[in-house]
Amino acid sequence: MQTDIRTVRASEESARAFVYRVLSTYIREMFLHPGEKLAETDVAAELQVSRTPVHDTFSRLEREKMLRPVPRGAVVPPLSADTIRQTVWMHRTVCQAVLGELYNHRPATLEPLERCVAAELEALQGGAIVKMARLQLEFHRTLYTLAGREPVMEAMERNSGDLYRLLRMLENADLWRYVADQHSAIVQGLAMRDYELAARALEAEHDLVEPLLEECRYRQPYFFE
């Protein structure tokens, strides 16, 4: 685990919160690959904290299924194709309901969603593909927030770790441009009161996952169960 800006501890941050932030970020962002082993002593030395917050964080990440215990440490678990498919089904179902709420009770402004799309296009133009999974997540968070469903999105995210890691593996600019185009169509549909346009774009985004899952399993089978 290399030291960089993500491993800088904020002055007000507790040791436990710091360790959790760093490890969960490294796992979700695929800086730590499935199968990599972590030892509490090594992490404590790397982050310059005692073993207690590291031990507590390992236990928390194991409960959240972001680590698996092994003798003298833990390993980053592989991605589960079945879990990803179940997560996509859940997102597909709930997102359509959220979209319906936004259609029936249109928010005062769609500017937050427009800013999300602009950020995606800016990242693509600058070649910052590494940002796209996070920006895709931010678009959906904003969608839920505008519908007043932040707690629902928070619950969804707790079960979406493998899906996020899959998206983080994708480095095809054309694919991410397609996702940004669907997000733009969702915003356009909401602005024009065209529910069918927005719903089709949302379905098109979710439909991408299955072929991408199969491609990633073929290309990097050692990352999957």
Side-chain angles (χ1 to χ4, degrees):
M1 190 165 61
Q2 297 180 352
T3 301
D4 61 17
I5 189 64
R6 291 174 295 270
T7 58
V8 175
R9 181 177 173 183
S11 58
E12 72 282 0
E13 195 171 26
S14 70
R16 186 176 286 104
F18 170 56
V19 176
Y20 178 81
R21 175 174 62 81
V22 171
L23 290 184
S24 61
T25 298
Y26 268 62
I27 293 168
R28 283 173 55 82
E29 298 294 336
M30 296 291 282
F31 300 122
L32 289 171
H33 290 164
E36 289 196 49
K37 184 176 180 180
L38 299 175
E40 291 183 9
T41 52
D42 293 341
V43 173
E46 181 74 27
L47 299 182
Q48 298 181 354
V49 297
S50 70
R51 281 191 62 183
T52 299
V54 176
H55 177 79
D56 292 346
T57 297
F58 272 38
S59 297
R60 178 179 175 181
L61 291 172
E62 288 164 10
R63 291 194 300 272
E64 295 175 357
K65 299 182 180 180
M66 296 176 71
L67 283 178
R68 285 183 181 173
V70 295
R72 292 188 293 277
V75 296
V76 179
L79 284 75
S80 165
D82 287 342
T83 296
I84 291 171
R85 291 188 180 103
Q86 291 169 5
T87 303
V88 171
W89 177 85
M90 181 173 61
H91 277 282
R92 188 190 298 270
T93 303
V94 179
C95 279
Q96 289 291 358
V98 167
L99 200 62
E101 290 188 26
L102 288 174
Y103 176 78
N104 292 322
H105 307 284
R106 184 179 176 182
T109 177
L110 296 174
E111 186 177 353
L113 285 174
E114 293 168 351
R115 287 199 300 268
C116 288
V117 174
E120 291 174 344
L121 296 176
E122 181 180 358
L124 286 166
Q125 186 174 7
I129 305 300
V130 69
K131 296 181 178 180
M132 291 305 297
R134 176 175 54 80
L135 293 174
Q136 187 262 5
L137 175 60
E138 188 59 33
F139 178 89
H140 284 276
R141 282 176 178 161
T142 304
L143 201 67
Y144 279 66
T145 297
L146 287 178
R149 299 297 183 184
E150 299 96 323
V152 178
M153 185 61 189
E154 291 170 5
M156 300 272 282
E157 283 190 56
R158 286 195 291 270
N159 296 291
S160 301
D162 279 7
L163 175 59
Y164 184 86
R165 287 198 292 166
L166 174 72
L167 296 175
R168 185 60 183 78
M169 293 169 64
L170 306 177
E171 299 178 351
N172 186 311
D174 290 337
L175 182 150
W176 280 117
R177 187 169 297 280
Y178 179 83
V179 170
D181 287 344
Q182 302 316 308
H183 290 173
S184 180
I186 291 170
V187 178
Q188 182 183 3
L190 290 172
M192 296 172 57
R193 303 287 294 164
D194 186 341
Y195 176 80
E196 292 301 322
L197 172 61
R200 284 197 305 271
L202 192 60
E203 281 294 298
E205 180 186 4
H206 289 135
D207 286 344
L208 275 177
V209 176
E210 182 62 32
L212 292 173
L213 172 60
E214 292 306 315
E215 178 185 343
C216 288
R217 291 177 70 188
Y218 176 79
R219 193 173 69 243
Q220 294 173 303
Y222 39 84
F223 279 4
F224 293 84
E225 289 183 330

